[in-house]
Amino acid sequence: MPLSVAVAGASGYAGGELLRILSQHPEFEVTTVTAFTNAGQPLLAAQPHLRSLAHLTLVTTTAENLAGHDVVFLALPHGKSGEITAELPEGTLVVDCGADHRLRSEADWAAFYGGEFYGAWSYGMPELIHSGGGKQRGELEGTKRIAVPGCNVTAMSLGLAPAVEAGLVEADDIVAVLAVGPSGAGKSLKPHLLASELMGSASAYGVGGSHRHIPETQQNLRVAGATRVSLSFTPVLVPMSRGILATTTAKLAPGVTESDVRRAYELAYGDEPFVHVLPAGEYPRVADTVGANTCLIGLAVDEAAGRLVAISALDNLVKGTAGAAVQSANIALGLPETLGLTMNGVAP
């Protein structure tokens, strides 16, 4: 018998992608979808591409409407999910795609988000390598509370963690520039996200150390073994509806060669179903990840600058959000990790 699933924030981009994946999952049945301003409308009014879920109507996002399900996925703005999760039954698997339960440090939360601190949950990045070996998926087995990582965080963390864990780079000198699609900013109307503003242009945002994904990335690299992490991160909004191309560089430790780097990444990700290291001289394209739960990584050593260059590509709505949520839920429930997920993208 399928597990009953509720999705909160079902009218948004992340909620819609969750529903698209869940609609094809053999062990899940979506029975409740919720929203705030769109409550009362048919789901198809907000997500017309989800034809197989045409029978569902959006109801108000309340703990009462979410309770009683086996699994609850939350795709809500930061500060909203934390208000609800405390009221959900302990036996329900709750997967939060928002930021409310990602950070361990209350000081980091206060500095980058503000408002009430709700505490950290099991972190939903199964492939994140831990210092001394092991992966984050071990922390997900049997848990009832999962915090899904930020999309930019996933691209940067997966791109650099193996080098940090192996001691190949100095984590106090990291620079990352990410090309990001506007769907990562959500579905709410914002003038700078209008097509007439985006097309034929590119613009930086969250400049000067102000982006909220910085402390989360630093947290992950400390898990991988870094003692001090200095990250200069600049995201750049580009005219592609979805996707992230992250160019992350770090100063190499003395004596490190390109073969050392490739060996570390192949050891870290060689058996991973959704994180793929490309052959030497090849670099990923965002287009090859659209619709797939994959992160593709290309590696280079800039000998003149003495830096590692890790280029990672992913779909911010799949591996960056909804795919990671379902992958982590599979692990927590003891299901095959890849169930209901694909590594095949959509082309052209």
Side-chain angles (χ1 to χ4, degrees), residues 169-190:
V169 296
E170 298 176 6
D172 61 353
D173 184 6
I174 299 171
V175 178
V177 178
L178 276 63
V180 182
S183 57
K187 207 171 185 178
S188 298
L189 180 62
K190 302 178 181 73

Side-chain angles (χ1 to χ4, degrees), residues 122-195:
S122 300
Y123 193 66
M125 189 184 293
E127 303 91 351
L128 178 63
I129 192 167
H130 286 206
S131 176
K135 298 280 184 70
Q136 181 63 21
R137 61 172 47 87
E139 304 294 320
L140 293 168
E141 296 171 1
T143 189
K144 293 296 184 182
R145 297 291 188 269
I146 297 172
V148 178
C151 53
N152 297 308
V153 178
T154 299
M156 289 185 286
S157 298
L158 293 179
L160 208 55
V164 170
E165 194 278 333
L168 303 181
V169 296
E170 298 176 6
D172 61 353
D173 184 6
I174 299 171
V175 178
V177 178
L178 276 63
V180 182
S183 57
K187 207 171 185 178
S188 298
L189 180 62
K190 302 178 181 73
H192 73 287
L193 300 180
L194 295 172

Side-chain angles (χ1 to χ4, degrees), residues 33-268:
V33 289
T34 81
F36 288 106
T37 58
N38 291 301
Q41 297 182 8
L43 176 64
L44 285 188
Q47 308 286 9
H49 62 298
L50 300 176
R51 309 308 297 182
S52 68
L53 301 177
H55 58 287
L56 295 174
T57 297
L58 294 162
V59 299
T60 306
T61 301
T62 64
E64 182 180 4
N65 284 334
L66 296 172
H69 298 82
D70 297 308
V71 186
V72 174
F73 291 92
L74 302 170
L76 303 173
H78 78 267
K80 296 295 185 183
S81 57
E83 298 173 356
I84 293 174
T85 52
E87 301 180 47
L88 296 177
E90 292 184 2
T92 298
L93 173 59
V94 183
V95 184
D96 185 9
C97 294
D100 288 12
H101 301 284
R102 294 172 184 165
L103 296 180
R104 299 175 181 176
S105 166
E106 186 171 358
D108 283 344
W109 177 265
F112 284 84
Y113 290 93
E116 185 173 350
F117 179 64
Y118 295 100
W121 286 357
S122 300
Y123 193 66
M125 189 184 293
E127 303 91 351
L128 178 63
I129 192 167
H130 286 206
S131 176
K135 298 280 184 70
Q136 181 63 21
R137 61 172 47 87
E139 304 294 320
L140 293 168
E141 296 171 1
T143 189
K144 293 296 184 182
R145 297 291 188 269
I146 297 172
V148 178
C151 53
N152 297 308
V153 178
T154 299
M156 289 185 286
S157 298
L158 293 179
L160 208 55
V164 170
E165 194 278 333
L168 303 181
V169 296
E170 298 176 6
D172 61 353
D173 184 6
I174 299 171
V175 178
V177 178
L178 276 63
V180 182
S183 57
K187 207 171 185 178
S188 298
L189 180 62
K190 302 178 181 73
H192 73 287
L193 300 180
L194 295 172
S196 57
E197 302 289 337
L198 279 172
M199 299 305 294
S201 184
S203 57
Y205 65 100
V207 179
S210 62
H211 198 284
R212 288 167 169 165
H213 286 176
I214 289 174
E216 187 183 342
T217 305
Q218 292 173 317
Q219 176 177 284
N220 289 346
L221 296 181
R222 286 193 292 268
V223 168
T227 53
R228 180 178 180 274
V229 182
S230 175
L231 169 63
S232 176
F233 163 44
T234 304
V236 178
L237 198 63
V238 298
M240 57 184 183
S241 61
R242 53 204 288 170
I244 294 173
L245 184 71
T247 302
T248 308
T249 79
K251 186 176 180 181
L252 289 166
V256 172
T257 66
E258 189 164 357
S259 62
D260 294 332
V261 170
R262 184 155 294 276
R263 188 179 308 114
Y265 279 75
E266 290 175 351
L267 179 64

